[in-house]
Amino acid sequence: MLLCTACLVGLQLLISCCWAFACHSTEPSPDFTLPGDYLLAGLFPLHSGCLQVRHRPEVTLCDRTGSFNEHGYHLFQAMRLGVEEINNSTTLLPNVTLGYQLYDVCSDSANVYATLSVLSLPGPRHIELQGDLLRYSPKVLAVIGPDTTNRAATTAALLSPFLMPLISYGASSETLSVKRQYPSFLRTIPNDKYQVETMVLLLQRFGWTWISLVGSSGDYGQLGVQALEKQATDQGICIAFKDIVPFSAQVGDQRMQRLMRHLAQATATVVVVFSNRLLARVFFESVVLANLTGKVWVASEAWVLSRHITGVPGIQRIGTVLGVAIQKRTVPGLKAFEEAYARADKGAPRPCHKSSCCSSNQVCRECEAFTAHTMPKLKGFSMSSAYNAYRAVYAVAHGLHQLLGCASGVCSRGRVYPWQLLEQIHKVNFLLHKDTVMFNDNGDPLSSYNIIAWDWSGPKWTFTVLGSSTWSPVQLDINETKIQWHGKDNQVPKSVCSSDCLEGHQRVVTGFHPCCFECVPCGAGTFLNKSDLYRCQPCGKEEWAPEGSQTCFPRTVVFLACQEHTSWVLLAANTLLLLLLLGTAGLFAWHLDTPVVRSAGGRLCFLMLGSLAAGSGSLYGFFGEPTRPACLLRQALFALGFTIFLSCLTVRSFQLIIIFKFSAKAPTFYRVWVQNHGAGLFVMISSAAQLLICLTWLVVWTPLPTREYQRFPHLVMLECTEANSLGFILAFLYNGLLSISAFACSYLGKDLPENYNEAKCVTFSLLFNFMSWIAFFTTASVYDGKYLPAVNMLAGLSSLSSGFGGYFLPKCYVILCRPDLNSTEHFQASIQDYTRHRGST
């Protein structure tokens, strides 16, 4: 249904175009036609379109005075030369000749007429409606051209139902590569997709992130602007200002004045101009008129090397012009071919027969009047474009070569349908003057771009090739030292909305564009990843970072290692204490039956010394990396051992008070206490209570090794979890109560016989115990670092040492240094003195 509709529309356009052109009394020039076994069509802009506002549909007449297009003329001659070379070849199409039908596509209406003309059948000059379009055999097999994206899209849409090959030499828009819409479209000019990617890489190369973007009306400019805006935005480049030069733009009109005013107000130094040649001329004439200087102009390939633009008066003052150009290629012999054409006798145009359907887009009066002196000069830009047309002709010829089986030296002369030729053109791969000609799946050539800069340093305008871009992927290779910048000291101009932030400072966007921002330092524990400059990333759990950092650093794992000097001192002190405890136990065992040992508690002393030794042994758990057994035992074992010692000390002091002070006053209590083994019972109950607290602590608030991250940003503290548990607090509160009880009992017995009681030493040792733990908890409240376990161990060591020193050392001194005081007579004398003194008071 869609195909039938397309054909009906085509027929209507054909009728209207034939009617429009029928008024001209000319017939096609012989230069536009060449008979042959297989015909090609060429669509070239030999004349320029009429740039004016139209209020109703009109057909543009091509052959008008003053509208001759030199650029299109060279393309026209390149195709003629290519066909002539192929026909003269004895290997490419040895026994087959190519013919052509050339058309002047000076306007959209002329382009439609030409397209429908090539679709018409030989003879009747109409398009036949039939069901099987694959069997449709028009007079032309393939089309070369047209030049612009707009016209190529129209022609490709009309030719696609018939799968007639269309090879454009100038339509570069990316949309034409969509095979679903344009299945028969190919081209010899690179796809704008790669041009846009090259432009974006060029902007990135010089750090230009704040640009203005101007396009021309039509598919080429508008689609190019859209693609460039999308890719630039994806790469972090912002568009400060964007506009389109309308088709009807004139130098100095209000529309162009407003555009120039906005460009001047925009703070962007770089302006990308994605425009065709005609509107680029209008734009730069307006730029010169507005005296808009001091900018960098990035040019698209359509105008970057065009003399039509470089010829604008005063354009050398606008600043630096960089651009993307198709790699320069030459058509060997084209200049000589054109000169021969100018010298040839072409005769005068013949009148149009009344029965013929004549067309002014197959006539060029200027072409017929050229001489060797008046013919258009062939410049570099036109030569490169002409090569693309020339290459397209050869691509068709090589497709026919494969289709007709010419490799054997003789081509078959069967009927060829356009779709058959299309299949073969997609497969061509050949060398043309050291240039590889082939197409990818989208019908695009495998070409590359040159990066060029305009050069006004000499007497005449020229350009410098800075490098090139290749794909895929697109890569840029340029020599920046060749660029002559317009600023002072040949410095690269800057074009940014906000200057780059310092290292470790994130960008906080101000306004609508991500390129306009304020710089804020990343907080501690975060860093700025270069892949995302707008958000500080948190460091990993095992990492840290100071404020304003660009990277994270590994945290230092800390614990109280055995190799440190502090550890050596504490280890030595604790080991010495343990040896003293063992030595005292041996000394007391050797003198177990002496009065001093019996007065100290006899066998109870071994329990007290054992509990102190257990506490001392638990302190070794504070050294080295915390382990599960160490965390479970070190605090709990110390608390239980010190509880047993305090219980024994308390009951020993209390028992002396009962014997010397309350045995006579309260004999019943004394008798019950002795008969029921009150001392042993108290020690058992007191120790069992602490044991229950410690077991509950270990079960409910189990101390485990942990890695603490919150206390210090740059450290990982290896420690046990007991410090924050309720069990830890209960155990130490219980020992605190026992210490107070022992202190009270010792203080009450300060007047007892000295042989039985060292009240002053015990009281002092208990005070020292209080101060040790007060100092520890005070330190823990203000210091939470690596050496807190050392402080904890020091407090425990002080408690054990004070207990040992206050209770056992005086007795060791008597046993070792004053054996005369370790006798029954001396103890009895002390008791008698105490009794006499109590009696006198």
Side-chain angles (χ1 to χ4, degrees), residues 393-425:
V393 175
Y394 268 90
V396 174
H398 277 268
L400 270 174
H401 177 86
Q402 298 174 12
L403 185 61
L404 301 177
C406 301
S408 63
V410 179
C411 301
S412 63
R413 288 173 169 268
R415 172 173 288 188
V416 174
Y417 294 105
W419 63 269
Q420 294 174 317
L421 179 59
L422 178 64
E423 285 185 345
Q424 297 304 320
I425 293 175

mmCIF file of all heavy atoms in Angstrom, residues 393-425:
data_model
loop_
_atom_site.group_PDB
_atom_site.id
_atom_site.type_symbol
_atom_site.label_atom_id
_atom_site.label_comp_id
_atom_site.label_asym_id
_atom_site.label_seq_id
_atom_site.Cartn_x
_atom_site.Cartn_y
_atom_site.Cartn_z
ATOM 1 N N VAL A 393 31.226 6.731 -9.304
ATOM 2 C CA VAL A 393 31.077 6.138 -10.643
ATOM 3 C C VAL A 393 31.845 4.831 -10.726
ATOM 4 O O VAL A 393 31.347 3.817 -11.250
ATOM 5 C CB VAL A 393 31.557 7.140 -11.714
ATOM 6 C CG1 VAL A 393 31.530 6.476 -13.098
ATOM 7 C CG2 VAL A 393 30.695 8.388 -11.705
ATOM 8 N N TYR A 394 33.046 4.815 -10.206
ATOM 9 C CA TYR A 394 33.853 3.599 -10.238
ATOM 10 C C TYR A 394 33.259 2.501 -9.362
ATOM 11 O O TYR A 394 33.404 1.303 -9.669
ATOM 12 C CB TYR A 394 35.289 3.903 -9.816
ATOM 13 C CG TYR A 394 36.195 4.237 -10.982
ATOM 14 C CD1 TYR A 394 36.332 5.545 -11.409
ATOM 15 C CD2 TYR A 394 36.876 3.237 -11.666
ATOM 16 C CE1 TYR A 394 37.146 5.861 -12.499
ATOM 17 C CE2 TYR A 394 37.697 3.526 -12.741
ATOM 18 C CZ TYR A 394 37.828 4.841 -13.159
ATOM 19 O OH TYR A 394 38.623 5.135 -14.234
ATOM 20 N N ALA A 395 32.610 2.883 -8.255
ATOM 21 C CA ALA A 395 31.956 1.876 -7.415
ATOM 22 C C ALA A 395 30.848 1.172 -8.180
ATOM 23 O O ALA A 395 30.697 -0.059 -8.087
ATOM 24 C CB ALA A 395 31.403 2.534 -6.154
ATOM 25 N N VAL A 396 30.068 1.942 -8.949
ATOM 26 C CA VAL A 396 29.006 1.332 -9.773
ATOM 27 C C VAL A 396 29.624 0.427 -10.832
ATOM 28 O O VAL A 396 29.153 -0.695 -11.092
ATOM 29 C CB VAL A 396 28.142 2.432 -10.420
ATOM 30 C CG1 VAL A 396 27.134 1.799 -11.387
ATOM 31 C CG2 VAL A 396 27.409 3.233 -9.369
ATOM 32 N N ALA A 397 30.700 0.895 -11.449
ATOM 33 C CA ALA A 397 31.339 0.096 -12.503
ATOM 34 C C ALA A 397 31.873 -1.220 -11.953
ATOM 35 O O ALA A 397 31.741 -2.281 -12.588
ATOM 36 C CB ALA A 397 32.471 0.910 -13.135
ATOM 37 N N HIS A 398 32.459 -1.195 -10.769
ATOM 38 C CA HIS A 398 32.972 -2.437 -10.178
ATOM 39 C C HIS A 398 31.825 -3.349 -9.762
ATOM 40 O O HIS A 398 31.968 -4.589 -9.816
ATOM 41 C CB HIS A 398 33.860 -2.113 -8.981
ATOM 42 C CG HIS A 398 35.269 -1.772 -9.360
ATOM 43 N ND1 HIS A 398 36.271 -2.709 -9.428
ATOM 44 C CD2 HIS A 398 35.846 -0.584 -9.716
ATOM 45 C CE1 HIS A 398 37.409 -2.131 -9.794
ATOM 46 N NE2 HIS A 398 37.175 -0.836 -9.976
ATOM 47 N N GLY A 399 30.695 -2.765 -9.347
ATOM 48 C CA GLY A 399 29.526 -3.597 -9.065
ATOM 49 C C GLY A 399 29.018 -4.292 -10.315
ATOM 50 O O GLY A 399 28.665 -5.484 -10.292
ATOM 51 N N LEU A 400 28.970 -3.564 -11.426
ATOM 52 C CA LEU A 400 28.569 -4.166 -12.702
ATOM 53 C C LEU A 400 29.579 -5.225 -13.144
ATOM 54 O O LEU A 400 29.209 -6.265 -13.715
ATOM 55 C CB LEU A 400 28.455 -3.070 -13.774
ATOM 56 C CG LEU A 400 27.089 -2.384 -13.927
ATOM 57 C CD1 LEU A 400 27.190 -1.238 -14.922
ATOM 58 C CD2 LEU A 400 26.020 -3.382 -14.350
ATOM 59 N N HIS A 401 30.854 -4.940 -12.890
ATOM 60 C CA HIS A 401 31.906 -5.893 -13.252
ATOM 61 C C HIS A 401 31.650 -7.252 -12.592
ATOM 62 O O HIS A 401 31.781 -8.300 -13.245
ATOM 63 C CB HIS A 401 33.256 -5.321 -12.805
ATOM 64 C CG HIS A 401 34.416 -6.237 -13.043
ATOM 65 N ND1 HIS A 401 35.110 -6.292 -14.233
ATOM 66 C CD2 HIS A 401 34.991 -7.166 -12.225
ATOM 67 C CE1 HIS A 401 36.070 -7.196 -14.143
ATOM 68 N NE2 HIS A 401 36.024 -7.741 -12.926
ATOM 69 N N GLN A 402 31.278 -7.232 -11.335
ATOM 70 C CA GLN A 402 30.992 -8.484 -10.628
ATOM 71 C C GLN A 402 29.685 -9.098 -11.106
ATOM 72 O O GLN A 402 29.571 -10.322 -11.269
ATOM 73 C CB GLN A 402 30.944 -8.229 -9.120
ATOM 74 C CG GLN A 402 32.263 -7.730 -8.531
ATOM 75 C CD GLN A 402 32.136 -7.354 -7.069
ATOM 76 O OE1 GLN A 402 31.144 -7.667 -6.423
ATOM 77 N NE2 GLN A 402 33.127 -6.650 -6.547
ATOM 78 N N LEU A 403 28.675 -8.240 -11.312
ATOM 79 C CA LEU A 403 27.348 -8.731 -11.677
ATOM 80 C C LEU A 403 27.346 -9.361 -13.069
ATOM 81 O O LEU A 403 26.679 -10.386 -13.313
ATOM 82 C CB LEU A 403 26.340 -7.574 -11.618
ATOM 83 C CG LEU A 403 24.879 -7.920 -11.853
ATOM 84 C CD1 LEU A 403 24.381 -8.895 -10.793
ATOM 85 C CD2 LEU A 403 24.021 -6.646 -11.839
ATOM 86 N N LEU A 404 28.099 -8.781 -13.989
ATOM 87 C CA LEU A 404 28.119 -9.270 -15.373
ATOM 88 C C LEU A 404 29.193 -10.328 -15.603
ATOM 89 O O LEU A 404 29.363 -10.802 -16.732
ATOM 90 C CB LEU A 404 28.325 -8.086 -16.334
ATOM 91 C CG LEU A 404 27.267 -6.982 -16.280
ATOM 92 C CD1 LEU A 404 27.631 -5.848 -17.233
ATOM 93 C CD2 LEU A 404 25.886 -7.532 -16.612
ATOM 94 N N GLY A 405 29.942 -10.661 -14.565
ATOM 95 C CA GLY A 405 30.962 -11.686 -14.701
ATOM 96 C C GLY A 405 32.076 -11.299 -15.636
ATOM 97 O O GLY A 405 32.540 -12.111 -16.460
ATOM 98 N N CYS A 406 32.554 -10.065 -15.512
ATOM 99 C CA CYS A 406 33.572 -9.558 -16.426
ATOM 100 C C CYS A 406 34.976 -10.048 -16.094
ATOM 101 O O CYS A 406 35.930 -9.729 -16.825
ATOM 102 C CB CYS A 406 33.555 -8.029 -16.435
ATOM 103 S SG CYS A 406 31.972 -7.317 -16.928
ATOM 104 N N ALA A 407 35.164 -10.773 -15.014
ATOM 105 C CA ALA A 407 36.491 -11.239 -14.636
ATOM 106 C C ALA A 407 37.075 -12.180 -15.677
ATOM 107 O O ALA A 407 38.297 -12.323 -15.799
ATOM 108 C CB ALA A 407 36.424 -11.934 -13.270
ATOM 109 N N SER A 408 36.186 -12.807 -16.434
ATOM 110 C CA SER A 408 36.653 -13.725 -17.473
ATOM 111 C C SER A 408 37.206 -13.005 -18.694
ATOM 112 O O SER A 408 37.775 -13.634 -19.576
ATOM 113 C CB SER A 408 35.506 -14.649 -17.896
ATOM 114 O OG SER A 408 34.451 -13.878 -18.464
ATOM 115 N N GLY A 409 37.033 -11.681 -18.778
ATOM 116 C CA GLY A 409 37.492 -10.905 -19.923
ATOM 117 C C GLY A 409 36.378 -10.503 -20.856
ATOM 118 O O GLY A 409 36.546 -9.646 -21.727
ATOM 119 N N VAL A 410 35.172 -11.097 -20.672
ATOM 120 C CA VAL A 410 33.996 -10.761 -21.484
ATOM 121 C C VAL A 410 32.806 -10.635 -20.552
ATOM 122 O O VAL A 410 32.555 -11.511 -19.721
ATOM 123 C CB VAL A 410 33.712 -11.844 -22.553
ATOM 124 C CG1 VAL A 410 32.467 -11.478 -23.360
ATOM 125 C CG2 VAL A 410 34.910 -12.007 -23.471
ATOM 126 N N CYS A 411 32.076 -9.517 -20.652
ATOM 127 C CA CYS A 411 30.902 -9.292 -19.803
ATOM 128 C C CYS A 411 29.655 -9.824 -20.503
ATOM 129 O O CYS A 411 29.486 -9.658 -21.723
ATOM 130 C CB CYS A 411 30.701 -7.794 -19.545
ATOM 131 S SG CYS A 411 32.111 -7.001 -18.747
ATOM 132 N N SER A 412 28.786 -10.452 -19.726
ATOM 133 C CA SER A 412 27.488 -10.860 -20.265
ATOM 134 C C SER A 412 26.610 -9.627 -20.421
ATOM 135 O O SER A 412 26.743 -8.658 -19.670
ATOM 136 C CB SER A 412 26.827 -11.872 -19.335
ATOM 137 O OG SER A 412 26.573 -11.278 -18.078
ATOM 138 N N ARG A 413 25.698 -9.666 -21.392
ATOM 139 C CA ARG A 413 24.887 -8.482 -21.688
ATOM 140 C C ARG A 413 23.417 -8.733 -21.343
ATOM 141 O O ARG A 413 22.534 -8.312 -22.070
ATOM 142 C CB ARG A 413 25.008 -8.125 -23.169
ATOM 143 C CG ARG A 413 26.363 -7.540 -23.562
ATOM 144 C CD ARG A 413 26.451 -7.385 -25.072
ATOM 145 N NE ARG A 413 27.613 -6.614 -25.444
ATOM 146 C CZ ARG A 413 27.614 -5.291 -25.617
ATOM 147 N NH1 ARG A 413 26.515 -4.606 -25.424
ATOM 148 N NH2 ARG A 413 28.723 -4.671 -25.984
ATOM 149 N N GLY A 414 23.148 -9.369 -20.257
ATOM 150 C CA GLY A 414 21.769 -9.623 -19.883
ATOM 151 C C GLY A 414 21.124 -8.413 -19.231
ATOM 152 O O GLY A 414 21.756 -7.399 -18.945
ATOM 153 N N ARG A 415 19.820 -8.547 -19.000
ATOM 154 C CA ARG A 415 19.084 -7.483 -18.324
ATOM 155 C C ARG A 415 19.518 -7.431 -16.867
ATOM 156 O O ARG A 415 19.657 -8.454 -16.204
ATOM 157 C CB ARG A 415 17.588 -7.729 -18.413
ATOM 158 C CG ARG A 415 16.772 -6.748 -17.559
ATOM 159 C CD ARG A 415 15.284 -6.894 -17.782
ATOM 160 N NE ARG A 415 14.885 -6.380 -19.082
ATOM 161 C CZ ARG A 415 13.614 -6.247 -19.489
ATOM 162 N NH1 ARG A 415 12.643 -6.614 -18.673
ATOM 163 N NH2 ARG A 415 13.347 -5.772 -20.673
ATOM 164 N N VAL A 416 19.715 -6.232 -16.371
ATOM 165 C CA VAL A 416 20.146 -6.020 -14.993
ATOM 166 C C VAL A 416 19.082 -5.191 -14.290
ATOM 167 O O VAL A 416 18.669 -4.142 -14.791
ATOM 168 C CB VAL A 416 21.515 -5.318 -14.936
ATOM 169 C CG1 VAL A 416 21.871 -4.981 -13.492
ATOM 170 C CG2 VAL A 416 22.590 -6.194 -15.560
ATOM 171 N N TYR A 417 18.669 -5.682 -13.155
ATOM 172 C CA TYR A 417 17.714 -4.924 -12.352
ATOM 173 C C TYR A 417 18.484 -4.121 -11.293
ATOM 174 O O TYR A 417 19.552 -4.543 -10.825
ATOM 175 C CB TYR A 417 16.724 -5.865 -11.666
ATOM 176 C CG TYR A 417 15.829 -6.575 -12.644
ATOM 177 C CD1 TYR A 417 16.047 -7.918 -12.948
ATOM 178 C CD2 TYR A 417 14.778 -5.904 -13.277
ATOM 179 C CE1 TYR A 417 15.232 -8.585 -13.846
ATOM 180 C CE2 TYR A 417 13.949 -6.569 -14.183
ATOM 181 C CZ TYR A 417 14.193 -7.900 -14.475
ATOM 182 O OH TYR A 417 13.385 -8.543 -15.365
ATOM 183 N N PRO A 418 17.956 -2.971 -10.898
ATOM 184 C CA PRO A 418 18.674 -2.123 -9.931
ATOM 185 C C PRO A 418 19.030 -2.841 -8.634
ATOM 186 O O PRO A 418 20.119 -2.654 -8.095
ATOM 187 C CB PRO A 418 17.692 -0.963 -9.692
ATOM 188 C CG PRO A 418 16.880 -0.894 -10.945
ATOM 189 C CD PRO A 418 16.744 -2.308 -11.422
ATOM 190 N N TRP A 419 18.123 -3.671 -8.123
ATOM 191 C CA TRP A 419 18.410 -4.321 -6.831
ATOM 192 C C TRP A 419 19.585 -5.296 -6.929
ATOM 193 O O TRP A 419 20.300 -5.512 -5.948
ATOM 194 C CB TRP A 419 17.161 -5.029 -6.306
ATOM 195 C CG TRP A 419 16.659 -6.154 -7.166
ATOM 196 C CD1 TRP A 419 15.744 -6.082 -8.163
ATOM 197 C CD2 TRP A 419 17.069 -7.534 -7.103
ATOM 198 N NE1 TRP A 419 15.537 -7.310 -8.741
ATOM 199 C CE2 TRP A 419 16.339 -8.233 -8.089
ATOM 200 C CE3 TRP A 419 17.966 -8.244 -6.313
ATOM 201 C CZ2 TRP A 419 16.477 -9.593 -8.309
ATOM 202 C CZ3 TRP A 419 18.110 -9.601 -6.520
ATOM 203 C CH2 TRP A 419 17.386 -10.266 -7.506
ATOM 204 N N GLN A 420 19.758 -5.907 -8.138
ATOM 205 C CA GLN A 420 20.899 -6.798 -8.320
ATOM 206 C C GLN A 420 22.210 -6.024 -8.254
ATOM 207 O O GLN A 420 23.191 -6.471 -7.640
ATOM 208 C CB GLN A 420 20.783 -7.522 -9.667
ATOM 209 C CG GLN A 420 19.602 -8.473 -9.756
ATOM 210 C CD GLN A 420 19.457 -9.058 -11.153
ATOM 211 O OE1 GLN A 420 19.590 -8.352 -12.156
ATOM 212 N NE2 GLN A 420 19.164 -10.353 -11.208
ATOM 213 N N LEU A 421 22.207 -4.869 -8.880
ATOM 214 C CA LEU A 421 23.404 -4.031 -8.847
ATOM 215 C C LEU A 421 23.687 -3.535 -7.437
ATOM 216 O O LEU A 421 24.843 -3.466 -7.012
ATOM 217 C CB LEU A 421 23.230 -2.850 -9.811
ATOM 218 C CG LEU A 421 24.395 -1.865 -9.881
ATOM 219 C CD1 LEU A 421 25.673 -2.570 -10.296
ATOM 220 C CD2 LEU A 421 24.069 -0.720 -10.837
ATOM 221 N N LEU A 422 22.630 -3.228 -6.678
ATOM 222 C CA LEU A 422 22.794 -2.748 -5.301
ATOM 223 C C LEU A 422 23.525 -3.787 -4.448
ATOM 224 O O LEU A 422 24.421 -3.449 -3.655
ATOM 225 C CB LEU A 422 21.425 -2.426 -4.696
ATOM 226 C CG LEU A 422 21.411 -1.959 -3.241
ATOM 227 C CD1 LEU A 422 22.141 -0.634 -3.091
ATOM 228 C CD2 LEU A 422 19.977 -1.841 -2.728
ATOM 229 N N GLU A 423 23.160 -5.045 -4.597
ATOM 230 C CA GLU A 423 23.828 -6.107 -3.835
ATOM 231 C C GLU A 423 25.319 -6.153 -4.120
ATOM 232 O O GLU A 423 26.144 -6.324 -3.210
ATOM 233 C CB GLU A 423 23.199 -7.460 -4.178
ATOM 234 C CG GLU A 423 21.835 -7.696 -3.565
ATOM 235 C CD GLU A 423 21.327 -9.100 -3.859
ATOM 236 O OE1 GLU A 423 21.905 -9.764 -4.760
ATOM 237 O OE2 GLU A 423 20.375 -9.539 -3.201
ATOM 238 N N GLN A 424 25.699 -5.990 -5.386
ATOM 239 C CA GLN A 424 27.105 -6.082 -5.761
ATOM 240 C C GLN A 424 27.892 -4.851 -5.339
ATOM 241 O O GLN A 424 29.076 -4.956 -4.976
ATOM 242 C CB GLN A 424 27.219 -6.290 -7.288
ATOM 243 C CG GLN A 424 26.604 -7.584 -7.779
ATOM 244 C CD GLN A 424 27.187 -8.805 -7.077
ATOM 245 O OE1 GLN A 424 28.399 -8.873 -6.835
ATOM 246 N NE2 GLN A 424 26.329 -9.759 -6.751
ATOM 247 N N ILE A 425 27.275 -3.690 -5.376
ATOM 248 C CA ILE A 425 27.980 -2.467 -4.950
ATOM 249 C C ILE A 425 28.355 -2.562 -3.475
ATOM 250 O O ILE A 425 29.423 -2.107 -3.059
ATOM 251 C CB ILE A 425 27.122 -1.216 -5.237
ATOM 252 C CG1 ILE A 425 26.965 -1.021 -6.743
ATOM 253 C CG2 ILE A 425 27.749 0.030 -4.615
ATOM 254 C CD1 ILE A 425 26.040 0.116 -7.119
#
